[in-house]
Amino acid sequence: MSERNTLIRSLHDMGLAAWFGGSLMGAVGLNGAAADESDSDTARDRIASSGWAKWTPVNAAAIGAHLFGGGGLLAANAHRIAHQQGVGASTTVKTVLTGAALAATAYARVLGKKIELASSSDVRDKEKAARHPIDIDDARRRLALTQWAVPALTGSLVVLNALHGEQQRPAEQTRGMWGRGGLAHPPAFREAMHRLPVGR
């Protein structure tokens, strides 16, 4: 089996980059522009909702690519996760943060859709909003907090991704395997030693 995982790593990294970058740009740029260009809360809601709705399919594709790539990397690195010291812990934290980011993203979309319906001038949207009334001011506050939580969580995933990259250095793999009893797992230990640069 090839040691390279270029495709799944690209899906993982590009998906996360779009998820983080899109959520940060939306919270800063889209919401800020909507506030600057509108003279009422309802108009601001309409502008922001339109932008977020257009981004949603792209964001969903990015998240799907990230999760698919992440699953592939978990499978490819299962031995390191089990036997290299520190990798299992960082993987667990990353999994928890990914779940939290998914939950925050879904919740933001639910709140955003409710606000979109409540601020719409379309009669059918107003009828839908009437069937599920909300406190619009409270929903706006919660949405603003959630939209900032998403880039905070996905940004943390970017940092953990960098940590995983450092843990893949040959010296880190050797030290980690030794710390977890690498000699008790000869294939893993020999593989880590084989990856060490010559002369080091």
Side-chain angles (χ1 to χ4, degrees):
M1 181 177 177
S2 173
E3 293 181 2
R4 292 193 176 187
N5 308 113
T6 304
L7 178 59
I8 58 174
R9 192 177 299 279
S10 296
L11 290 171
H12 173 273
D13 292 354
M14 290 179 68
L16 179 56
W19 191 6
F20 167 68
S23 62
L24 183 60
M25 187 276 172
V28 177
L30 176 56
N31 290 349
D36 290 343
E37 296 300 319
S38 58
D39 53 7
S40 69
D41 288 339
T42 300
R44 182 193 66 196
D45 291 340
R46 287 177 184 168
I47 295 171
S49 294
S50 177
W52 283 108
K54 285 176 170 41
W55 171 247
T56 295
V58 179
N59 196 42
I63 292 171
H66 172 67
L67 295 179
F68 182 82
L73 288 177
L74 279 175
N77 291 281
H79 195 79
R80 288 183 54 244
I81 293 170
H83 300 300
Q84 184 180 341
Q85 190 173 30
V87 176
S90 61
T91 300
T92 298
V93 173
K94 188 175 180 180
T95 301
V96 171
L97 284 176
T98 299
L102 286 170
T105 300
Y107 186 53
R109 183 57 190 149
V110 170
L111 288 173
K113 189 63 179 179
K114 289 182 177 181
I115 293 174
E116 178 185 342
L117 292 174
S119 63
S120 175
S121 57
D122 188 286
V123 175
R124 289 170 298 181
D125 287 344
K126 287 186 175 296
E127 289 175 352
K128 291 178 183 178
R131 288 197 294 268
H132 304 282
I134 60 169
D135 182 333
I136 191 71
D137 290 331
D138 181 60
R140 285 173 181 145
R141 284 192 295 271
R142 283 184 286 153
L143 179 60
L145 290 173
T146 307
Q147 286 177 334
W148 278 108
V150 175
L153 290 165
T154 51
S156 298
L157 289 174
V158 172
V159 174
L160 280 173
N161 208 31
L163 173 61
H164 277 183
E166 291 298 308
Q167 288 175 329
Q168 285 187 305
R169 289 175 178 270
E172 287 292 319
Q173 289 192 49
T174 303
R175 184 162 43 247
M177 294 294 185
W178 186 279
R180 288 290 294 271
L183 293 176
H185 306 280
F189 186 70
R190 283 200 299 271
E191 181 183 1
M193 289 296 292
H194 178 70
R195 291 179 180 177
L196 280 174
V198 176
R200 292 188 182 182

